[in-house]
Amino acid sequence: PFFEVLRQAGLLSSTRPAVRGAGSDWFDRMQAFTRKPLTGDELDIADFMRLLVEPLMHHEHTQRSWVDRAKSMLGQDLSLPVDGAAVAARLHVSPQTFRKRFAALTGMTPTRYRAGRRIEASKTLLRQTEMTHRQIAVSLGFYDEYYFANRFKAATGQTAGEYRRAGRI
């Protein structure tokens, strides 16, 4: 009877008995269902549904916490090279697991994430300082100003000079 009530409420389907990565729509519908005034057997059903959701919420929180810690470590001191193995060790996983899990949770590799952070930091420096392109490149750990210019244009579609001028208009 529990599952039949869930099926009738649109929370379960025999064609899709398990949904991975369900969005907030499912959770919103689940919350709305549990907020309805319930009596009798419906209270038992609501308690059962809460039990079903608790592990999912704990897992989501754990994954968010893990990826937030990883992002924080990758975002530190952009002028220095990052040691992926050291970051993985601090997160208590192997380097391969770190790369795979980070990519699965964020949609990008740790290297790409860090490169994006460097570009975002360079945008801020271009808008808010008078630093030369060379100084920005050095401060953010780019090999040289030419490599910085190449990476910046590839990421933004503009040269650093164009970006700086557009930000000042």
Side-chain angles (χ1 to χ4, degrees):
F2 289 134
F3 293 105
E4 181 58 26
V5 170
L6 293 174
R7 188 193 63 72
Q8 289 175 358
L11 298 174
L12 289 178
S13 165
S14 60
T15 58
R16 290 186 66 194
V19 179
R20 293 195 177 266
S24 63
D25 179 56
W26 177 83
F27 186 73
D28 291 343
R29 288 185 298 139
M30 179 75 90
Q31 281 186 323
F33 183 79
T34 61
R35 286 188 185 130
K36 291 192 299 187
L38 303 176
T39 58
D41 291 338
E42 292 176 334
L43 289 173
D44 291 334
I45 293 168
D47 287 340
F48 177 72
M49 288 188 335
R50 283 187 195 96
L51 289 173
L52 286 174
V53 172
E54 281 177 16
L56 298 172
M57 296 308 294
H58 175 71
H59 177 72
E60 174 68 21
H61 173 72
T62 302
Q63 293 301 322
R64 282 288 116 216
S65 174
W66 184 90
V67 81
D68 289 343
R69 287 191 340 238
K71 284 180 175 181
S72 175
M73 289 179 218
L74 291 170
Q76 292 174 356
D77 201 351
L78 296 172
S79 66
L80 299 175
V82 70
D83 180 2
V87 172
R90 288 177 59 195
L91 293 168
H92 308 292
V93 294
S94 71
Q96 182 178 7
T97 298
F98 167 62
R99 285 189 302 275
K100 285 182 180 180
R101 186 182 296 174
F102 188 89
L105 293 171
T106 65
M108 66 182 82
T109 65
T111 302
R112 177 169 249 161
Y113 174 79
R114 187 159 166 90
R117 298 282 299 159
R118 282 185 165 148
I119 294 298
E120 289 305 313
S122 69
K123 287 179 177 181
T124 300
L125 292 173
L126 287 165
R127 280 191 317 268
Q128 298 178 358
T129 72
E130 296 297 323
M131 292 172 70
T132 66
H133 296 174
R134 179 178 174 74
Q135 290 169 324
I136 291 172
V138 169
S139 73
L140 294 175
F142 288 96
Y143 179 72
D144 60 27
E145 65 191 285
Y146 303 107
Y147 183 71
F148 162 65
N150 186 347
R151 296 288 82 218
F152 190 90
K153 181 152 186 173
T156 66
Q158 295 179 292
T159 67
E162 290 169 343
Y163 184 84
R164 177 174 267 168
R165 285 188 295 279
R168 292 197 176 153
I169 294 174

